[in-house]
Amino acid sequence: MAIRVGIDIGATKTKIILITGKGEILARRKIVTDSLGDPNPIVERSSAEVADMLKTEGVKNSKVEAIAVGIAGFSNPRTGMIDLSPNLKWHKVPFTSMMKKKLGREIFMANDVNAAAWGEFTYGAGQGTTDMVAVFVGSGIGGGIVSGKKLVEGATGTAGEVGHMTYRENGIKCPCGQRGCFEAYGGGVPMEIRTRKAVKSGKGRLILEMAKGDVDKINTRTIRLAAEKGDKTAGMIWKQAQESLVTLCSNLTSLLNPDRLVLGGGVLEGNPGLLKIIKDEVPKRAVTLSGRHVKVVPSQLGDDAVAMGAAALVDLYR
Amino acid sequence: MAIRVGIDIGATKTKIILITGKGEILARRKIVTDSLGDPNPIVERSSAEVADMLKTEGVKNSKVEAIAVGIAGFSNPRTGMIDLSPNLKWHKVPFTSMMKKKLGREIFMANDVNAAAWGEFTYGAGQGTTDMVAVFVGSGIGGGIVSGKKLVEGATGTAGEVGHMTYRENGIKCPCGQRGCFEAYGGGVPMEIRTRKAVKSGKGRLILEMAKGDVDKINTRTIRLAAEKGDKTAGMIWKQAQESLVTLCSNLTSLLNPDRLVLGGGVLEGNPGLLKIIKDEVPKRAVTLSGRHVKVVPSQLGDDAVAMGAAALVDLYR
């Protein structure tokens, strides 16, 4: 049997799967990443874990077709170089060659969100389409584009940065350093930071109540619940988040005319009403033919999307 | 010799070229379109003209590989159906089958702006790249995307509607019926309409002066000149146009990570300073890696882009 290894390196956890070319998951492990500022710990740990997994009964005699990593950050999949990963605080890391030294074989790399989009296209909510856009709203906002059954990678592999398009010039400061990005309005972490700041300054009493009096427990769900109960601060922040996401999804639909718009990520999963609003509004707001055509659907692969997609993406690079 | 026919049907003029597969133009004709609300006149006239051109010395013994039409409007290139062409006031026109009846051979069709983008990619400012975005700012704003050397057509052929992405929710009314599209702020016609209205209400004295006292002579150039001389109304409208175009181009760069951003169209050609501003701002405003990588360049094919691109696009459809 031919198998692949898919690795999803997140800021806190790293997920490793063994998967067949058809998308059947044979094994799954999760380890802590604990590699802020220095890639070496996770390179060591994930390599050891992969080596160990491949010794397991059941896959011992399988041919390993490829090992692929999905990782957050601005990187060039073709060179294997990570220019900047803000979440991991890595700067100019030649990641695939570091992994290659440990595992003794070629490593494929992809941006985590492009990998997740490709996973949804290959094995999840985008199956059977030719054109798909995926938007993941979690701590930040990421996306991936499939056009004519091909992943839109861009000239240097950084296409799909849906969250860092400008929504409002001179708007709210975004973690990326720019102002007014969609992520600054609709991303989970920026939304929480703004809200905590407002609560600390005495606003948004109901938000604090929803978070049981603990400012650190404020999240997009508590913001939304407080907004629903009439809290003004929460209402303003939540409304801006909704509007920014509707505009983002409508714009992507007008620009790319996809069959399906796949929506996933923690903020969307924790606030199911958002999907409905986007579903209702995109057909009205996007260019007519594209708005009528697109189907807005939830992602299907959840936590496995990055690792599965990375493993599937291998076929693009060889 | 194998030749192709490229036809560019605009609201007022229709251009026909005979071209080789390598992009060498053998003959060129221009006729009036005069076909508002009814496609029959231009179907008749352009078919007769094509037939006549093909009888000319020099191409008489050539093999006609394909006849391709680039046309403004929302259409599906694969079915040959024009759903709506606002400029021509056509609604649900089975265009390619009408042309086929006259010319007795298959006709290929493409959206005019996608054709122009493909023309620039194949024969013009996008040559040699893998990923290119073209933005044409004329009466309206249109665009075309090339990813991995393929035209991004979308699921039903309407991808590339860069001008009808939302720039400002509940913003200025756009000719498309929506509010706040990029085109409403940066497109030539919407800009002129707003300015004329302001001038008629007594504002923008300097704009009227630049247009030699004739409201109908107000165009983007007179608006820009008045803005440069300190006219407040012109200044506001021109600044919004600049900002909207900078944001549009930065967003497309962040999203698509192109090698080149090709800028063309009457408004950009009439106001060369705009290209410079966009060139200066995109690297600062777009996602770092993509902003640093992209080259902002003027279009090269001018008036021939649509007809040349349509003829080249034929290869995608067969």
Side-chain angles (χ1 to χ4, degrees):
Chain A
M1 188 174 45
I3 61 168
R4 296 168 179 199
V5 181
I7 310 176
D8 169 10
I9 301 185
T12 55
K13 278 166 289 179
T14 290
K15 187 163 200 175
I16 306 171
I17 61 167
L18 303 185
I19 184 171
T20 67
K22 285 181 182 159
E24 197 190 342
I25 295 178
L26 304 171
R28 228 191 227 106
R29 284 198 200 169
K30 217 182 242 183
I31 55 177
V32 291
T33 303
D34 208 4
S35 205
L36 278 190
D38 174 11
N40 283 300
I42 193 61
V43 166
E44 290 280 349
R45 248 197 314 276
S46 61
S47 305
E49 206 72 30
V50 168
D52 187 62
M53 285 173 87
L54 291 175
K55 278 187 228 145
T56 324
E57 279 309 325
V59 300
K60 223 164 34 184
N61 301 316
S62 301
K63 184 185 169 304
V64 180
E65 282 189 319
I67 302 178
V69 180
I71 194 159
F74 304 110
S75 61
N76 186 335
R78 311 235 171 230
T79 62
M81 188 78 185
I82 297 172
D83 193 66
L84 177 70
S85 176
N87 298 354
L88 288 157
K89 304 194 193 304
W90 295 357
H91 188 59
K92 298 235 181 285
V93 171
F95 190 76
T96 57
S97 58
M98 291 173 76
M99 288 287 282
K100 192 178 170 180
K101 263 186 211 152
K102 292 284 160 201
L103 284 162
R105 54 159 65 236
E106 207 179 342
I107 310 294
F108 296 89
M109 190 179 77
N111 166 284
D112 60 344
V113 189
N114 279 350
W118 191 250
E120 291 290 344
F121 177 72
T122 313
Y123 304 122
Q127 279 178 87
T129 66
T130 61
D131 293 70
M132 183 202 87
V133 177
V135 177
F136 299 97
V137 187
S139 320
I141 302 180
I145 303 163
V146 176
S147 163
K149 300 190 182 180
K150 306 258 182 215
L151 182 70
V152 172
E153 300 177 85
T156 58
T158 57
E161 289 291 346
V162 302
H164 298 293
M165 296 197 287
T166 304
Y167 174 58
R168 292 275 174 265
E169 293 121 341
N170 304 312
I172 300 175
K173 187 118 191 184
C174 181
C176 78
Q178 299 276 5
R179 281 190 175 277
C181 300
F182 281 99
E183 180 167 313
Y185 293 83
V189 165
M191 231 192 290
E192 286 160 16
I193 291 173
R194 282 169 75 196
T195 309
R196 285 178 192 146
K197 215 170 148 183
V199 166
K200 280 177 187 162
S201 79
K203 289 180 198 155
R205 197 187 45 80
L206 275 172
I207 309 172
L208 195 58
E209 214 168 87
M210 295 296 149
K212 300 193 168 126
D214 183 351
V215 176
D216 292 336
K217 289 224 170 78
I218 289 172
N219 59 27
T220 60
R221 209 176 136 271
T222 59
I223 300 170
R224 194 240 316 153
L225 289 172
E228 286 169 2
K229 289 204 184 298
D231 185 275
K232 266 194 186 167
T233 304
M236 192 263 290
I237 289 170
W238 189 246
K239 188 163 178 251
Q240 283 184 345
Q242 282 183 347
E243 285 182 353
S244 66
L245 292 172
V246 164
T247 294
L248 174 62
C249 291
S250 304
N251 284 0
L252 292 170
T253 301
S254 295
L255 184 68
L256 297 162
N257 178 212
D259 290 306
R260 272 180 228 156
L261 182 62
V262 176
L263 298 179
V267 172
L268 283 157
E269 280 154 22
N271 302 284
L274 263 181
L275 185 80
K276 191 182 169 330
I277 288 167
I278 295 170
K279 216 176 195 164
D280 289 347
E281 290 299 318
V282 166
K284 295 180 213 158
R285 288 274 309 280
V287 164
T288 318
L289 278 181
S290 300
R292 277 203 306 245
H293 179 78
V294 72
K295 285 200 171 37
V296 179
V297 297
S299 62
Q300 286 178 0
L301 304 184
D303 245 17
D304 290 328
V306 175
M308 289 179 82
L313 261 175
V314 164
D315 298 320
L316 287 186
Y317 295 124
R318 53 173 188 193
Chain B
M1 189 175 42
I3 60 166
R4 295 166 180 200
V5 181
I7 310 176
D8 169 9
I9 301 185
T12 55
K13 277 166 289 181
T14 290
K15 187 161 198 175
I16 306 171
I17 61 167
L18 304 185
I19 185 170
T20 68
K22 285 180 184 159
E24 196 190 342
I25 295 178
L26 304 171
R28 229 191 227 106
R29 284 198 198 168
K30 217 181 241 182
I31 57 178
V32 292
T33 303
D34 209 5
S35 206
L36 277 190
D38 174 12
N40 284 299
I42 193 61
V43 167
E44 290 278 350
R45 248 197 314 275
S46 60
S47 305
E49 206 72 29
V50 169
D52 187 64
M53 285 172 88
L54 292 175
K55 277 188 228 143
T56 324
E57 280 309 325
V59 300
K60 221 161 39 181
N61 300 317
S62 301
K63 184 184 169 303
V64 180
E65 281 187 317
I67 301 178
V69 180
I71 193 160
F74 304 108
S75 61
N76 186 335
R78 310 238 172 227
T79 61
M81 187 79 186
I82 297 171
D83 192 67
L84 175 70
S85 177
N87 298 355
L88 288 157
K89 302 191 194 306
W90 295 357
H91 188 60
K92 298 232 179 285
V93 171
F95 191 75
T96 56
S97 58
M98 292 172 76
M99 287 289 280
K100 191 179 172 181
K101 261 185 211 151
K102 292 285 162 200
L103 284 161
R105 55 157 64 233
E106 206 177 344
I107 310 295
F108 297 88
M109 188 179 79
N111 167 283
D112 60 344
V113 189
N114 279 349
W118 191 250
E120 291 291 344
F121 177 73
T122 313
Y123 304 123
Q127 279 178 88
T129 66
T130 61
D131 292 73
M132 182 203 89
V133 176
V135 176
F136 299 98
V137 186
S139 322
I141 301 180
I145 303 162
V146 177
S147 164
K149 300 190 182 179
K150 305 260 180 212
L151 183 69
V152 172
E153 300 178 86
T156 57
T158 55
E161 289 291 347
V162 302
H164 298 294
M165 294 196 288
T166 304
Y167 173 58
R168 292 275 175 263
E169 294 123 339
N170 305 312
I172 299 175
K173 187 116 192 183
C174 180
C176 78
Q178 299 276 6
R179 282 192 175 276
C181 300
F182 282 98
E183 179 166 314
Y185 292 83
V189 165
M191 231 191 291
E192 286 160 15
I193 291 173
R194 281 169 76 197
T195 310
R196 285 177 192 145
K197 215 169 147 185
V199 167
K200 280 177 188 161
S201 78
K203 290 178 198 154
R205 198 187 44 79
L206 276 172
I207 309 171
L208 196 58
E209 216 168 84
M210 295 295 150
K212 297 187 172 136
D214 184 351
V215 177
D216 292 336
K217 289 223 169 79
I218 290 172
N219 59 28
T220 60
R221 209 178 135 270
T222 59
I223 299 169
R224 194 242 313 157
L225 290 171
E228 286 168 2
K229 288 202 185 297
D231 185 276
K232 267 196 186 165
T233 303
M236 192 264 291
I237 289 170
W238 189 245
K239 188 161 178 257
Q240 283 186 345
Q242 283 183 346
E243 286 183 353
S244 66
L245 292 172
V246 164
T247 294
L248 175 62
C249 291
S250 303
N251 284 359
L252 291 170
T253 299
S254 295
L255 185 68
L256 297 161
N257 178 214
D259 291 306
R260 273 180 226 155
L261 182 62
V262 176
L263 299 178
V267 171
L268 283 158
E269 282 155 21
N271 302 283
L274 263 181
L275 184 80
K276 191 183 170 328
I277 289 167
I278 295 170
K279 218 176 193 162
D280 290 346
E281 291 297 318
V282 165
K284 294 181 216 160
R285 288 275 308 280
V287 164
T288 318
L289 278 182
S290 301
R292 277 201 309 242
H293 178 79
V294 72
K295 286 201 168 38
V296 180
V297 296
S299 63
Q300 287 180 0
L301 304 184
D303 245 18
D304 288 329
V306 175
M308 288 179 84
L313 261 175
V314 163
D315 297 320
L316 287 187
Y317 296 125
R318 55 172 186 189

